Amino acid sequence: MAEKKTGKPGTHQQEGITRRTFIKNTGLITGGLVSGGLLGGLLGNQLGTGTDTETSTEEHGHGATHRYEEARMFFKRQGDFRVLEMVTETIFPEDGNGPGAIALGVPYFIDRQLAGNWGSNTRDYMQGPFEEGTDTQGYQSSLTRGEIFLQGIRLINQISTSDYDEAFVDLEEQDRVAILTEFSEGNAEMRGVSSSRFFSLLRQAVLEGAYCDPLYGGNREMAGWRMKGHPGSVMSYLDVIQEEDFVEMDPVALKDHNH
Amino acid sequence: MVQQLDKVDVVTVGVGWTGGIIAAELAKAGYNVVGLERGAEQKTEDFLQTKDELRFDSRYELLQNLSNETVTFRNTPDMTALPMREYGAFQLGTGLGGAGVHWSGVTWRFLPYDFEIQSQTVEKYGEDKIPEDMALQDWGITYEELEPYYDTFEKTAGISGEENPFGGFRSDDYPTPPMKETPALRLFKETTTEMGYQPFMAPSANPSETYTNPDGKRINQCQYCSYCSRYGCDFGAKSDPIVTVIPTALETNNFELRTYSNVTEVLHEDGVATGVRYTDLTTGVEYEQPADVVVLTSYVLNNARLLLQSELGQPYDPETQTGSIGKNYCYQLEFSGQGFFEKQYNMHMGAGALGMAIDDFNGDNFDHSDLDFLHGGWISLRQGGRTPISSNAVPAGTPSFGREFKEQSIYQFFRMLSVGTQGASLPNVNNYLDLDPTYTDKLGNPLLRMTFDFHEQDQNLARYLAEQIEDILTEMGASDIAVNKDLGNFDIEPYQSTHNTGGVIMGDDPETSAVNSYLQMWDHDNVFVVGASAFPHNGGYNPTGTVGALAYRAAEGIEEYLSNGGGQLV
């Protein structure tokens, strides 16, 4: 397992970074397309305000600073949201690689997504008549993603209390995994949608929250990208794409392009 | 109240690659052209600061809003078709530039074999080689006849590439050199060379160097940033209609672009089209735009739909196998195998059309005497730029969530390589397009109904290509190789390919085709239907190169039609 730790990108801290290594790592200068203005903006964001990272690390540890964005737009009942939190952490747990779903902001990310276009299927064809169709005909439910999530999250807790005599948030990890496995295999009975479809939406939303641009509230401090070694939205790889060895880079987010 | 507008020489329905090419060529020749585009105007500036996987790759911002319009689908004629409610096996473009804005940029020429597939198959293997339910047809044009138009399109788009050892005659080299070779591409190249194949760099519309096309339009050098397929390019470094043919057309002052203009009918009388009716989607007002020539240049599926809706041409009937509108709808057998390696590859860097290809198993480049299928597909290792939400490959047996999944999906992120193919899709008499009897779009018009399944030809070809992919991954040194050899039924849910073709096919016989080799309708001389809708089958390649070539030929035909005062061109 030791080899996994060596050469693993994204684990080093940002504090020690110099202007020179930042430029080298992002390949921005070598890319040849970035104007002085943009580069200046990037450096300003990445280096000039170097305390951002430290402050937020403290927040995680002690909750010293209020995150006013940590309130719900979609889920009305706090109990449902607590189940969602535990579900996301079960799907994407904190481990030696780094933070889990909760610390990455995934539950609030999902709450916001469900409150928006995605959660209400505004860009999908939702006219009737609705028929079940065959397995090859795709999604045919009249339920929106928001409705599916609400029903599914409540059913998860209901099954937990009936089968394990405990709320989902109090279950041991192996039991939480067992319940979610039943959902993923389509064995839980849902109305108007299969539990496997609910689970695949849920799993997809967790991965989105872990690895989206931080502007959406997930992937906090780009910690998801750092874990995975993905540098986000780098403008150019022109001069490094032929490198034989793996090229480590600090991640760049859309905020860094926006100045 | 429908408002009448003044007559123009040419009206195009849709302004993407094909509409842009038609508009540019005819406007340059001095004709006045109106382009009706139902989507919004867009330009490179729209894509600055939007390298955003969630927005474009997961939420499909550049794609058609399905709440306005979708297609219905069933596998066989005896099933009830149901709407594609969300994306989706294929991704419909919208807005100025259409799917040409969010494409990857792989720009092939089809093989000479493709254009004469029926006659060459009979000549080489005998008539019995063609299954009874396969509506295989020659295209009514040869590769040699189409070659000059391929050359024109490649020069307009600044295509980067190197010669395909199995390709047809080229009158000139690619306008720009091949893209950069990466370690992963090199591994594929060295492995396939050792296996006796002939690898080469795939042809790409992500130019290897900054290029100015013959119309004076500049396409920047690709930066390999990876935000390509499903994105618009923020650097003007992907050749697309909005940086090439559309500005070329606009600069002539002979081209008027009208956005949010949704055409609902081609108006016609006694075999002559008089113009089109369209709705301004911002006001709901309906207009009639008279024109000497009507050119359908929307996506494949909408070309067929608009003809059916307008009662132009004869709809295809699978029972009697007569009629041509909706006939020979084909697709692409696009899939890949994956394997895992010790080494980490920089797979997050890349470009839509960056890839190393072999063509040894495409077309009739290999002997089919003892094989139970026709045609083949190009096989490649592509490096489009891996992004973290969409790529979470883990070895078989790994759970789909939880600790082990997280560990593996992170560990393997740069260690997985995939080898893929785009297999040809040959026509079947039961694969076709018509209008749905139940479901409608937002304006109340019937949706297009797609009846499509994979048949024995497809199953056998896919299995053969999957075996080649497995062999290559094995020789590359991969472990935990996963290649699906069972194509199964066509399933509209998982993304496969936006290479829909057919429905308004070309040929040399009005009985078996809808348009001639200039894409002019046999029964309506002043209607041209341009796009992959004209393909009698889909080859084992991405279609856009051939679409571009056919559009240049159609433009030449329209000019000839207008200057000669009408008539059939063939």
Side-chain angles (χ1 to χ4, degrees):
Chain A
M1 295 300 277
E3 63 174 326
K4 286 188 197 172
K5 301 300 170 199
T6 57
K8 178 184 256 302
T11 50
H12 52 287
Q13 294 302 303
Q14 185 146 347
E15 288 91 325
I17 195 166
T18 64
R19 185 183 173 97
R20 201 164 52 89
T21 51
F22 173 71
I23 293 167
K24 191 171 134 243
N25 287 345
T26 55
L28 282 167
I29 288 255
T30 51
L33 81 126
V34 178
S35 68
L38 177 51
L39 186 60
L42 280 168
L43 292 172
N45 278 309
Q46 292 282 313
L47 304 174
T49 56
T51 51
D52 277 2
T53 316
E54 289 151 36
T55 315
S56 53
T57 310
E58 262 174 46
E59 282 172 29
H60 278 302
H62 313 292
T65 312
H66 234 39
R67 280 186 181 272
Y68 285 99
E69 67 274 24
E70 286 196 344
R72 301 185 303 275
M73 283 184 196
F74 176 80
F75 286 94
K76 297 193 198 74
R77 301 181 194 166
Q78 190 178 44
D80 292 338
F81 189 74
R82 293 284 171 250
V83 176
L84 175 74
E85 284 184 316
M86 195 53 90
V87 165
T88 63
E89 190 69 16
T90 308
I91 289 172
F92 200 83
E94 182 160 355
D95 66 0
N97 291 295
I102 293 176
L104 289 168
V106 171
Y108 286 102
F109 163 84
I110 292 176
D111 181 70
R112 288 176 196 191
Q113 290 293 312
L114 292 175
N117 286 344
W118 188 71
S120 38
N121 295 62
T122 55
R123 285 171 56 83
D124 298 325
Y125 187 84
M126 296 299 276
Q127 290 181 43
F130 289 91
E131 288 185 39
E132 199 174 333
T134 63
D135 287 347
T136 59
Q137 288 179 296
Y139 179 79
Q140 293 298 333
S141 175
S142 64
L143 297 174
T144 64
R145 295 185 185 92
E147 290 164 336
I148 291 172
F149 264 77
L150 208 52
Q151 188 195 145
I153 289 295
R154 286 179 185 164
L155 186 61
I156 286 171
N157 202 43
Q158 204 179 308
I159 288 175
S160 174
T161 26
S162 62
D163 292 8
Y164 294 86
D165 262 343
E166 274 192 287
F168 188 78
V169 294
D170 297 325
L171 284 186
E172 293 295 323
E173 185 173 17
Q174 63 186 50
D175 295 333
R176 284 185 269 127
V177 167
I179 290 176
L180 293 184
T181 302
E182 291 297 305
F183 274 79
S184 73
E185 290 171 357
N187 298 330
E189 283 290 320
M190 290 181 66
R191 283 177 67 193
V193 66
S194 70
S195 71
S196 56
R197 180 167 294 274
F198 161 60
F199 184 80
S200 89
L201 279 173
L202 183 61
R203 176 183 181 273
Q204 175 66 17
V206 170
L207 293 171
E208 287 170 358
Y211 297 126
C212 63
D213 190 279
L215 85 90
Y216 296 99
N219 184 25
R220 277 187 186 161
E221 315 302 338
M222 303 189 279
W225 288 347
R226 286 180 210 281
M227 265 191 293
K228 211 164 185 173
H230 192 279
S233 49
V234 174
M235 290 299 282
S236 176
Y237 295 120
L238 183 67
D239 285 357
V240 285
I241 191 168
Q242 290 182 296
E243 293 287 323
E244 193 60 46
D245 295 325
F246 187 74
V247 181
E248 289 188 30
M249 291 183 179
D250 274 305
V252 180
L254 288 171
K255 169 69 178 163
D256 303 321
H257 299 276
N258 177 10
H259 62 100
Chain B
M1 241 330 252
V2 179
Q3 308 226 9
Q4 294 291 329
L5 300 167
D6 292 338
K7 191 173 181 181
V8 295
D9 295 326
V10 178
V11 63
T12 79
V13 180
V15 187
W17 265 127
T18 57
I21 288 170
I22 299 293
E25 292 308 293
L26 290 158
K28 281 193 287 183
Y31 294 100
N32 59 53
V33 183
V34 164
L36 300 173
E37 166 56 50
R38 67 181 182 180
E41 187 252 345
Q42 54 187 352
K43 53 185 179 180
T44 300
E45 191 183 342
D46 287 303
F47 308 122
L48 293 175
Q49 304 171 357
T50 61
K51 292 181 189 294
D52 184 340
E53 185 185 12
L54 185 73
R55 183 171 175 183
F56 295 98
D57 193 77
S58 311
R59 301 283 181 265
Y60 312 121
E61 181 159 318
L62 289 185
L63 306 191
Q64 179 180 308
N65 182 338
L66 295 180
S67 74
N68 294 335
E69 181 185 325
T70 183
V71 298
T72 67
F73 161 71
R74 59 184 180 174
N75 290 108
T76 56
D78 57 356
M79 284 168 65
T80 301
L82 295 177
M84 178 174 79
R85 296 190 178 277
E86 61 177 19
Y87 289 106
F90 45 84
Q91 306 192 331
L92 308 168
T94 192
L96 190 63
V101 170
H102 75 248
W103 74 316
S104 297
V106 185
T107 313
W108 289 102
R109 296 177 172 204
F110 279 14
L111 294 163
Y113 162 79
D114 278 302
F115 301 96
E116 299 169 87
I117 189 168
Q118 197 272 347
S119 47
Q120 285 196 17
T121 300
V122 170
E123 190 182 329
K124 188 165 171 189
Y125 302 109
E127 275 187 31
D128 292 348
K129 189 74 177 174
I130 304 174
E132 240 173 53
D133 61 352
M134 184 188 288
L136 207 59
Q137 290 182 204
D138 290 352
W139 288 39
I141 193 169
T142 62
Y143 172 83
E144 287 69 26
E145 289 170 303
L146 198 58
E147 199 283 334
Y149 307 100
Y150 271 125
D151 184 62
T152 303
F153 182 63
E154 287 170 357
K155 284 175 176 156
T156 298
I159 303 304
S160 298
E162 59 183 331
E163 189 161 353
N164 176 357
F166 291 96
F169 160 78
R170 295 185 61 91
S171 56
D172 203 350
D173 293 334
Y174 282 104
T176 50
M179 298 187 80
K180 288 178 185 282
E181 204 174 283
T182 67
L185 265 55
R186 203 150 46 240
L187 176 62
F188 180 86
K189 182 185 188 176
E190 284 163 4
T191 304
T192 51
T193 302
E194 277 166 28
M195 293 172 82
Y197 309 141
Q198 298 180 63
F200 61 103
M201 288 293 286
S204 166
N206 323 130
S208 57
E209 59 189 32
T210 296
Y211 173 78
T212 302
N213 79 10
D215 295 315
K217 294 291 160 293
R218 184 178 135 127
I219 308 147
N220 287 324
Q221 180 183 32
C222 175
Q223 299 297 308
Y224 301 87
C225 79
S226 85
Y227 291 86
C228 200
S229 185
R230 299 188 191 174
Y231 302 86
C233 184
D234 59 351
F235 194 54
K238 171 164 73 178
S239 192
D240 67 28
I242 62 175
V243 299
T244 58
V245 290
I246 295 170
T248 297
L250 288 167
E251 276 168 19
T252 63
N253 293 320
N254 293 327
F255 175 57
E256 185 194 344
L257 170 68
R258 295 185 201 143
T259 52
Y260 298 111
S261 300
N262 189 41
V263 176
T264 52
E265 191 179 347
V266 178
L267 305 163
H268 58 100
E269 249 179 61
D270 307 324
V272 179
T274 54
V276 298
R277 178 182 293 128
Y278 71 94
T279 305
D280 179 336
L281 295 173
T282 64
T283 60
V285 173
E286 278 198 297
Y287 295 92
E288 278 185 14
Q289 175 62 66
D292 284 330
V293 176
V294 173
V295 194
L296 305 197
T297 50
S298 59
Y299 192 62
V300 178
L301 303 176
N302 274 328
N303 279 354
R305 180 176 179 234
L306 192 56
L307 291 176
L308 292 164
Q309 203 164 289
S310 309
E311 298 182 350
L312 265 183
Q314 195 193 341
Y316 173 70
D317 179 350
E319 291 279 326
T320 57
Q321 290 163 37
T322 54
S324 58
I325 309 302
K327 179 182 168 174
N328 284 29
Y329 169 71
C330 292
Y331 193 45
Q332 189 98 76
L333 308 184
E334 185 166 340
F335 57 88
S336 62
Q338 58 191 34
F340 296 87
F341 295 79
E342 285 297 308
K343 181 180 155 79
Q344 287 186 303
Y345 292 90
N346 291 302
M347 294 306 283
H348 56 304
M349 309 175 186
L354 176 61
M356 186 67 72
I358 59 166
D359 225 14
D360 299 73
F361 298 101
N362 207 349
D364 204 31
N365 299 343
F366 56 114
D367 185 54
H368 288 68
S369 299
D370 298 323
L371 297 172
D372 51 4
F373 60 86
L374 290 169
H375 217 306
W378 71 291
I379 294 174
S380 64
L381 190 148
R382 285 174 64 181
Q383 187 164 346
R386 191 168 291 166
T387 44
I389 295 171
S390 68
S391 181
N392 287 283
V394 291
T398 309
S400 69
F401 69 97
R403 287 186 187 279
E404 197 184 339
F405 167 77
K406 184 185 175 192
E407 178 73 28
Q408 282 291 331
S409 62
I410 289 173
Y411 180 73
Q412 304 290 3
F413 186 55
F414 296 105
R415 291 181 167 88
M416 188 275 283
L417 295 180
S418 73
V419 171
T421 186
Q422 293 184 335
S425 173
L426 302 186
N428 185 283
V429 294
N430 286 319
N431 290 343
Y432 68 104
L433 307 171
D434 65 356
L435 294 179
D436 192 88
T438 308
Y439 295 95
T440 61
D441 67 11
K442 205 174 186 178
L443 297 174
N445 293 310
L447 295 181
L448 189 75
R449 175 168 68 180
M450 175 185 292
T451 304
F452 181 79
D453 209 350
F454 294 129
H455 294 270
E456 205 180 326
Q457 148 74 25
D458 308 298
Q459 306 290 350
N460 296 342
L461 169 56
R463 190 177 313 111
Y464 184 83
L465 292 171
E467 284 164 2
Q468 311 313 316
I469 287 172
E470 186 175 44
D471 287 351
I472 293 168
L473 280 166
T474 305
E475 292 297 315
M476 282 166 64
S479 60
D480 293 295
I481 295 168
V483 188
N484 185 7
K485 292 180 188 150
D486 180 14
L487 192 59
N489 295 101
F490 173 67
D491 182 343
I492 194 112
E493 189 162 350
Y495 180 75
Q496 288 149 74
S497 175
T498 307
H499 300 166
N500 317 77
T501 66
V504 195
I505 65 173
M506 61 193 291
D508 58 9
D509 180 355
E511 289 297 310
T512 56
S513 58
V515 294
N516 65 28
S517 67
Y518 287 95
L519 310 192
Q520 178 185 33
M521 284 191 85
W522 289 113
D523 51 12
H524 289 80
D525 294 348
N526 69 336
V527 179
F528 292 74
V529 188
V530 187
S533 52
F535 293 9
H537 71 273
N538 196 11
Y541 296 118
N542 312 55
T544 304
T546 302
V547 170
L550 289 172
Y552 275 106
R553 181 171 165 89
E556 192 181 288
I558 294 165
E559 207 181 325
E560 199 179 312
Y561 173 91
L562 285 166
S563 60
N564 292 348
Q568 272 288 313
L569 295 161
V570 174

